[in-house]
Amino acid sequence: MSRWLPAAALGCILALIAIGVVLALRPGPATTDAARGAALAQELRCPDCASLSAADSPTRSAREIRRQIDELIGAGASDAEVRAHFVDRYGQWILLAPSSPAAWLVPLAVVAAGVIGLAWWLVRRPRAPAARRVLSAEEQRRLHDEAEALDA
Amino acid sequence: MRAMRWLLVPLLVVPLSWLLFTGFSLDPRAVASPLIGRPAPAWSYTTLDGETLSSDDLAGRPYVVNFWASWCVPACVDEHPVLTAAWQEHGDEIAMVGILFDDSPDNAAAFLDRYGRPGYPTVVDESGTLAIDFGVTGPPETFFVDAEGIVRDKQTGPLTDASMADRLALIGIDR
């Protein structure tokens, strides 16, 4: 047990360093209007496509959404106001990611409930009784006879 | 403990099956419109005949806004006679307007030459601004606006005579 401890500790430290590096290199919030517009277009669904963002689609609706985003940003709208402009027209459906942070916890909660349920079932499961049966006199005799016949 | 196992069926399997069966039978495009109960977007465009038409011209009467395209087959072809019949029957009580969705006026004119002119105008929403304002995902989509200018219902996909009658009733037009 104790000889695994240093390796586990080293693994934890390396993982923490990796997380730190990823967080440090993560792009910060978009600053220019063009970058803000592009980021917002990534968050919005292209209405006449299957599972594409308005940024990734060449359809006319996607182009018009990108144009309206730029127009709203040019008029001084905040990111939240731009999102609200499209939610007003399409509902939450237009957002590719749920707006409530609580929604992200749902899959984690479902997985946790599954793990707890499985663990509970494994712990509580009655052990199968060992199959021990005494042979009858008839069976013993037959076993003996067949072993004899093999030896012969 | 053993009795618990039998509870699994009504508590988990039945609701989950119901969720999957109903969920997969839904049309992912048929999103409830947030516009319902709110004033219809205002607009002003040029018709296929080259005249200017605006939402103000329709105000005061209930009206029907139909987003369509010549490439929208068979849905737009299927509902074309339904729209034409509704206009012939109720044209004196309501206004109707077609909005061309991502299509050229020439293609639209060819479509109308082939399937018949319904008698009400179609305007050309070249940039797609009005489609976004109405929250349209693709033709055909039809909005039903009452005499006060409030959107009362939306049909995603082709209209039938029955769905047309149901929706017209919501904006005060009874057969």
Side-chain angles (χ1 to χ4, degrees):
Chain A
M1 181 61 204
S2 63
R3 67 199 173 106
W4 290 107
L5 226 54
L10 185 67
C12 287
I13 290 167
L14 284 176
L16 281 176
I17 290 172
I19 290 171
V21 168
V22 168
L23 287 178
L25 294 180
R26 194 174 56 164
T31 44
T32 66
D33 283 357
R36 271 182 62 205
L40 281 162
Q42 285 285 356
E43 291 179 29
L44 296 170
R45 189 190 292 269
C46 157
D48 49 358
C49 315
S51 308
L52 271 183
S53 78
D56 299 321
S57 165
T59 69
R60 196 195 57 168
S61 297
R63 279 205 310 274
E64 174 61 14
I65 283 182
R66 293 198 295 268
R67 191 195 65 75
Q68 289 191 14
I69 291 173
D70 292 343
E71 189 179 274
L72 289 163
I73 289 175
S78 69
D79 288 2
E81 283 165 344
V82 172
R83 284 185 209 106
H85 172 85
F86 294 101
V87 169
D88 266 359
R89 287 153 175 74
Y90 285 95
Q92 294 280 323
W93 178 84
I94 197 76
L95 302 175
L96 284 171
S99 56
S100 160
W104 294 108
L105 297 177
V106 172
L108 290 179
V110 170
V111 169
V115 168
I116 291 169
L118 183 68
W120 184 73
W121 178 73
L122 284 173
V123 168
R124 296 289 301 268
R125 184 172 55 156
R127 301 260 177 268
R132 289 192 61 181
R133 194 165 66 84
V134 180
L135 296 180
S136 68
E138 166 66 24
E139 283 168 331
Q140 281 194 4
R141 194 166 50 243
R142 208 176 128 199
L143 194 67
H144 177 80
D145 290 350
E146 284 182 13
E148 291 275 278
L150 279 177
D151 282 344
Chain B
M1 197 47 232
R2 230 157 236 291
M4 289 275 283
R5 185 174 301 181
W6 296 106
L7 278 178
L8 275 180
V9 174
L11 286 183
L12 274 177
V13 179
V14 171
L16 271 179
S17 317
W18 176 82
L19 204 68
L20 291 174
F21 271 111
T22 52
F24 281 115
S25 63
L26 292 175
D27 178 0
R29 284 182 178 277
V31 275
S33 174
L35 254 67
I36 291 168
R38 299 210 322 235
W43 48 267
S44 177
Y45 290 106
T46 307
T47 67
L48 288 174
D49 300 326
E51 289 163 13
T52 302
L53 186 72
S54 79
S55 49
D56 288 343
D57 298 330
L58 312 182
R61 275 180 295 171
Y63 64 92
V64 176
V65 180
N66 173 246
F67 286 85
W68 69 281
S70 68
W71 48 261
C72 149
V73 279
C76 291
V77 176
D78 289 347
E79 69 168 10
H80 194 64
V82 177
L83 290 159
T84 306
W87 175 249
Q88 281 167 358
E89 197 174 341
H90 302 292
D92 50 346
E93 307 161 83
I94 59 171
M96 282 176 76
V97 62
I99 315 280
L100 198 59
F101 181 96
D102 200 4
D103 200 2
S104 75
D106 286 346
N107 288 342
F111 178 99
L112 295 179
D113 284 342
R114 180 165 174 190
Y115 297 106
R117 293 181 182 268
Y120 60 83
T122 282
V123 297
V124 185
D125 168 25
E126 190 132 15
S127 62
T129 310
L130 192 59
I132 300 290
D133 282 346
F134 269 97
V136 172
T137 59
E141 274 184 37
T142 311
F143 293 81
F144 294 79
V145 184
D146 70 12
E148 279 74 49
I150 307 294
V151 179
R152 288 297 168 202
D153 207 1
K154 168 196 173 184
Q155 161 90 20
T156 305
L159 284 157
T160 61
D161 285 324
S163 60
M164 182 65 135
D166 288 349
R167 283 165 169 72
L168 284 178
L170 292 174
I171 55 171
I173 305 299
D174 286 316
R175 203 165 272 266

